[in-house]
Amino acid sequence: MKTALITGACINTGVDIVEKFASNGYDIIFTGRNPDKVLARQKEYQEKFPDVRIVGYAIDSLIDERTVDEEAVKRMFVDMDEKGLFADTLVLNAADQGLGLAIFETPLTDLMRVINTNVVWNYCLCEHAAHRMKVHGGGNIVFINSNTAYRAIPDRVAYVASKGGQLGLMRALALDLGPYKIRVNAVLPGMIRTDRWEKNPDFYANVPSRFTPIGDVATGADIADAVYYLAAHARNTTGAEL
């Protein structure tokens, strides 16, 4: 039985990614920040997918803006080991969106918080997951990145910088982990229809992302399809951006 560990899987795209993998027979390990929400989602997922194993962990990325909570990551993986859970797929979906961080108006620690969550914490998760993948003969890692890694947007300097750095991290990990049969790739969504879309219809009615050649905006299920392709089908692909 294959197992996927998916971070940030209590809302929006994370839910779609869980459901994509579970519907294809994967056991699921998922994370969220709020313990009550994690428990509620675990119950919902298990009821919807009774034939797969569902395990949720409440975990936060940081102790404070300057400090990644590495001990929490270690505890999670040790608990997985004790439960006999091995994640051959790691999907790094959780992120700090860094909304409204205007230059001159926010402290340096806001930038540090976003970089630490989106780059350093994700590296920590990769390191612990890849150690176990190496022992088991391989695996794969998929970053949920963003097209803002290439296309900057206003008042999001921390997020844009973090996503650019994350792509560099992805490519470096693809090189370093390739010899152990661990593939590392990234999905770079643009605008996605999330709960923010539903709550702000006037704003999203005219966002540039609506005016694509096909005149439509991706859903979380579209992103989940891309992630599943890289995890389950792209056998000879690593260091790639989709």
Side-chain angles (χ1 to χ4, degrees):
M1 177 70 76
K2 290 185 175 294
T3 301
L5 168 55
I6 301 159
T7 67
C10 288
I11 60 170
N12 294 328
T13 305
V15 174
D16 290 292
I17 296 171
V18 166
E19 294 189 349
K20 179 70 177 183
F21 280 83
S23 67
N24 281 278
Y26 278 67
D27 283 343
I28 300 295
I29 307 162
F30 75 97
T31 75
R33 292 185 176 93
N34 183 293
D36 293 336
K37 290 181 179 179
V38 169
L39 285 173
R41 273 296 179 191
Q42 180 172 310
K43 181 179 178 182
E44 291 172 14
Y45 289 145
Q46 196 66 79
E47 289 174 351
K48 189 169 185 177
F49 303 101
D51 297 328
V52 303
R53 188 176 183 182
I54 309 286
V55 178
Y57 288 94
I59 185 172
D60 209 340
S61 54
L62 307 179
I63 296 171
D64 55 45
E65 294 92 339
R66 296 177 173 86
T67 313
V68 170
D69 195 348
E70 183 178 9
E71 289 303 315
V73 174
K74 288 181 180 179
R75 286 194 300 271
M76 180 178 72
F77 277 95
V78 167
D79 190 72
M80 288 165 54
D81 294 340
E82 292 174 351
K83 287 182 167 69
L85 296 168
F86 162 60
D88 55 278
T89 294
L90 171 63
V91 182
L92 297 161
N93 175 66
D96 188 321
Q97 298 290 325
L99 297 171
L101 300 189
I103 194 167
F104 307 131
E105 297 176 13
T106 54
L108 183 62
T109 49
D110 283 348
L111 177 78
M112 296 170 72
R113 187 195 77 229
V114 177
I115 298 291
N116 277 330
T117 295
N118 296 352
V119 180
V120 183
W121 183 63
N122 277 326
Y123 172 79
C124 185
L125 288 161
C126 288
E127 185 178 29
H128 285 272
H131 174 76
R132 288 155 175 84
M133 292 175 184
K134 176 184 174 183
V135 171
H136 283 80
N140 68 94
I141 298 168
V142 182
F143 285 88
I144 305 300
N145 194 263
S146 169
N147 68 7
T148 58
Y150 293 104
R151 179 183 58 83
I153 52 180
D155 294 334
R156 299 288 295 281
V157 63
Y159 183 74
V160 171
S162 75
K163 290 301 182 178
Q166 194 184 86
L167 279 189
L169 174 63
M170 180 274 289
R171 288 190 290 267
L173 288 172
L175 284 175
D176 290 348
L177 298 177
Y180 307 105
K181 301 188 185 304
I182 300 169
R183 299 184 297 105
V184 189
N185 296 288
V187 175
L188 284 68
M191 182 67 68
I192 310 173
R193 292 180 187 269
T194 66
D195 57 354
R196 292 198 306 273
W197 180 288
E198 303 302 331
K199 293 172 184 175
N200 299 279
D202 293 338
F203 174 78
Y204 286 105
N206 294 298
V207 292
S209 301
R210 290 186 66 94
F211 303 101
T212 63
I214 60 172
D216 199 6
V217 176
T219 66
D222 296 321
I223 308 309
D225 286 344
V227 173
Y228 188 77
Y229 162 73
L230 288 172
H233 299 300
R235 183 192 65 82
N236 200 37
T237 300
T238 196
E241 303 168 14
L242 176 56

